[in-house]
Amino acid sequence: MADIPSDLTDVGTHHGNQPPTETGQTVRSPEGPDPSTADAQPSSALFQVVRAPSEDQLKIRVHSARAEPSPPDEGEEIGTYRTEEALRKVLADANVDGWAAVFEDLEADRVLVDTDVNADHAWIGQARYSTITLFADAEAATTFAENHERPLSDR
């Protein structure tokens, strides 16, 4: 404490203006994974889940990991998810077991239909499929795929 000027005491309290306790701002910090459980892994994609105006259809739009997706033109956004596990949990909560899905494959420029999908389906979460549309009715999925701009694949 040798750098304290001689005219100031080295003991005492601050008598100046106190900082405001309320700043008018709300600060939120999302909870991340426990750092002691595993190493952090970069996200490969951002999954945006949208419920169509008809309750029996969900759409998963896959974006690059750093994208900031725009709100959907139609329907209600359920949320955006950075991990396959989070996406699968939301689909399980939406009870999509037994639904049909139309997978848009950008690499092959085609759409694929699978009439028996669940939240753990192997293709869900792969960045190869830019959009996955889930239908409660298999016939609606087939009709959607037949009318799609990309050709329907026979696998």
Side-chain angles (χ1 to χ4, degrees), residues 53-151:
S54 64
E55 293 292 318
D56 56 351
Q57 180 183 342
L58 289 175
K59 187 171 282 202
I60 303 166
R61 294 176 19 192
V62 182
H63 303 277
S64 69
R66 295 181 183 252
E68 292 185 27
S70 58
D73 295 334
E74 293 181 358
E76 170 193 358
E77 182 179 280
I78 294 174
T80 55
Y81 308 93
R82 296 197 180 276
T83 64
E84 287 181 40
E85 294 81 23
L87 173 63
R88 291 177 188 283
K89 181 177 181 336
V90 167
L91 294 177
D93 291 346
N95 198 20
V96 298
D97 288 353
W99 283 31
V102 177
F103 296 87
E104 294 182 33
D105 185 348
L106 289 181
E107 290 180 27
D109 192 35
R110 63 183 178 177
V111 294
L112 301 153
V113 178
D114 192 338
T115 57
D116 188 23
V117 175
N118 61 37
D120 295 320
H121 193 280
W123 294 351
I124 292 176
Q126 291 188 17
R128 176 177 183 153
Y129 304 105
S130 63
T131 304
I132 303 167
T133 309
L134 299 161
F135 296 87
D137 179 35
E139 237 179 81
T142 304
T143 303
F144 177 82
E146 289 171 349
N147 295 327
H148 199 277
E149 62 190 31
R150 288 186 171 82

Side-chain angles (χ1 to χ4, degrees), residues 3-71:
D3 58 337
I4 297 177
S6 60
D7 62 339
L8 293 177
T9 63
D10 60 351
V11 180
T13 60
H14 174 69
H15 294 290
N17 295 334
Q18 294 296 319
T21 56
E22 293 292 325
T23 62
Q25 294 179 336
T26 302
V27 179
R28 291 186 222 172
S29 177
E31 287 186 28
D34 183 1
S36 65
T37 58
D39 292 337
Q41 299 295 322
S43 178
S44 62
L46 175 71
F47 306 101
Q48 181 183 35
V49 180
V50 177
R51 182 175 303 281
S54 64
E55 293 292 318
D56 56 351
Q57 180 183 342
L58 289 175
K59 187 171 282 202
I60 303 166
R61 294 176 19 192
V62 182
H63 303 277
S64 69
R66 295 181 183 252
E68 292 185 27
S70 58

